[in-house]
Every structure is written in structure tokens, then in C-alpha cells.
Amino acid sequence: MLQKWDMNDQVLSQTMFLADEVQYNLLHRICESRNSKCLKTTDEQMIFAQSEGQNAWLWVSKELEEDRRHNVFQELVELLNGTAVPGVSGDPTMVEHFAQMYSETNDVPYFPHMIMESYSCSEVKKPHNVRGTMHQATRHHVEIVAAFLAGFSEGAYGVIVDPASQISTAEEMVKAGNVYLWYVDRLPVSMANIAHRSPRHARINAVYTPSLFRKRGYASALVAEICSVLESEGLEPMLYADLKNPDSNKVYQNIGFQERGKVVDIKFR
């Protein structure tokens, strides 16, 4: 039987989930959303969460037997009847099983959109001999942050957007105080953002360096410095990296990030 849960629930602190917490860190952010749909089994061996209009995330305990899992997924599919589910993210085997059942019930095809690796860093290794310094972005940097966000969108997702369309997002990110820039000779050459802090981790995203400044260690140095900031807060840095980009994965591994589990992003047409 499935029941609702919210950010005040202790389901994300239970022992079974903690072993996979880095891989499923985004669940912490989703449950904070007022309009999110969060469901779990009474024995807390399955957790489902979806922000309105976004991909759902699905965690399943490795202890849950296959027959029981099938029954739980069937109940979940029935409960989601009438709910728009653009896709589902999670462990490749588990979400493939769910996607197949959801697809058959709702007569919608599905396809893998992206495969990511989750990483966390328990001990940062700062690169040596990299020029520059880290600066926290201020309101004076909104336009450059917007331009970097547009560049990130094109590089990470192949989606070309006008930097002007990113101004409001850049303003919100800068106002939150979590955007950092790497400066060399008074010029911003790389960007990274602390997207969210959960009880034990902090998620880094929007790591971007314009092509003109790549291969010089700027992103590595910037992320490493952000890791130090987070470690001083008692939080372990984590992030997700698209496996189609081996260069970025290598960058993170070189500064101490370790693999914590793959996440497949499946879309329903």
C-alpha cells in the first residue's frame, strides 16, 4: 500500500535509503516543492517523488523482491492515472521495469534520454599551478552568469537559448549567493553553482567554461574551491555528470569525486 510523505518525513534518513542517498539526492529537493507528489510504501522500500511537470524520481530498495516490486509498480501506475509524467529517473534496472509497465498501461512509448553518474567527494584534491581566484557572483555579474547559463544549455543539452532569456534565472541564482566565478586577470573564465543543500550533502551544478578558456584547469580549480567551502559547512559535495561527456567526468574524478551510482533519465513521448 502506498501513502503520501513530505519533507518532514524521516523516509530519506532511514538506513536502507542512506546507502543510495548520493545517487538519489534530488529527492531532497523535490520533496521541498509545494506542488510535488511524494509517495512511499508503508515499509519504506519504495520512494516516488515528482515536481509538477518534471521527471519523477523512483528509488527502490535492493532488498525488495522482484514479485513484490512488480506489485508495487502496478499500484503506483494506477495511482498516477491522470497525472502528467514526462519521464522517470533512477537506477537503470528499476526505472526500466517501471517505464515498461507505465508505457503498456498508458499506451505511450518511452526511450532513454540521458545516463548520468552520481559523484560525491569526501576529500578534495585541489589542482596545482592553475592561475586565478574564486569570486562569489554579485548582482554586477548577472549578465555574465546569464551568458554562461546559455552556453551551458547549448553544451550540456544541445539547446540554443538567447542569453537575455536567462537573466531572470541568473538574478535568482546570484541573489541566493551560491554562484561562483573563476577569475583570471580580472576576466571571468568559469562558473559553478551550489544548487541545493540537503542534510548531509550539497549538490553542485551549472559547471561551465567557455570553449576559449577550456583545458586550463579553471573548472577543476573552481569546483575544488567550492568543495572546500562546503566541507567547512560540514556537507559532502555531490553532483551528477552526463556520461556522454567523458572530459567533465574525468575532471571531477581528478579532484576527488568518486562514483556513487548511475542514473538513467527515461522520457515518455
Side-chain angles (χ1 to χ4, degrees), residues 113-235:
H113 173 67
M114 181 187 301
I115 302 177
M116 302 176 288
E117 181 65 50
S118 60
Y119 289 96
S120 69
C121 181
S122 58
E123 184 176 353
V124 65
K125 304 173 185 176
K126 293 186 179 181
H128 300 292
N129 303 318
V130 178
R131 295 179 60 216
T133 53
M134 182 177 78
H135 295 263
Q136 188 174 29
T138 69
R139 59 186 179 85
H140 302 293
H141 298 108
V142 167
E143 288 189 1
I144 189 65
V145 171
F148 280 8
L149 286 174
F152 177 80
S153 175
E154 182 176 0
Y157 308 117
V159 178
I160 299 175
V161 297
D162 185 345
S165 70
Q166 303 299 300
I167 290 292
S168 61
T169 300
E171 288 176 339
E172 292 179 7
M173 291 171 62
V174 169
K175 185 178 180 180
N178 293 319
V179 181
Y180 291 86
L181 300 168
W182 191 258
Y183 264 77
V184 176
D185 297 332
R186 299 185 178 182
L187 185 69
V189 297
S190 191
M191 175 185 76
N193 177 55
I194 302 172
H196 183 255
R197 289 171 171 84
S198 55
R200 290 162 288 276
H201 299 87
R203 177 166 52 88
I204 298 170
N205 72 354
V207 179
Y208 176 73
T209 303
S211 56
L212 181 64
F213 303 113
R214 292 175 188 167
K215 306 295 185 181
R216 305 182 192 182
Y218 299 148
S220 298
L222 177 56
V223 172
E225 288 296 332
I226 291 176
C227 286
S228 293
V229 170
L230 295 173
E231 287 173 357
S232 71
E233 298 177 12
L235 296 172

Side-chain angles (χ1 to χ4, degrees), residues 55 86-88 95-96 99-100 103 108-115 264-269:
N55 253 39
V88 59
V95 296
E96 170 71 24
Q100 184 176 5
S103 173
V108 290
Y110 67 94
F111 63 97
H113 173 67
M114 181 187 301
I115 302 177
V264 66
D265 173 12
I266 287 178
K267 298 293 186 186
F268 298 115
R269 292 191 188 277

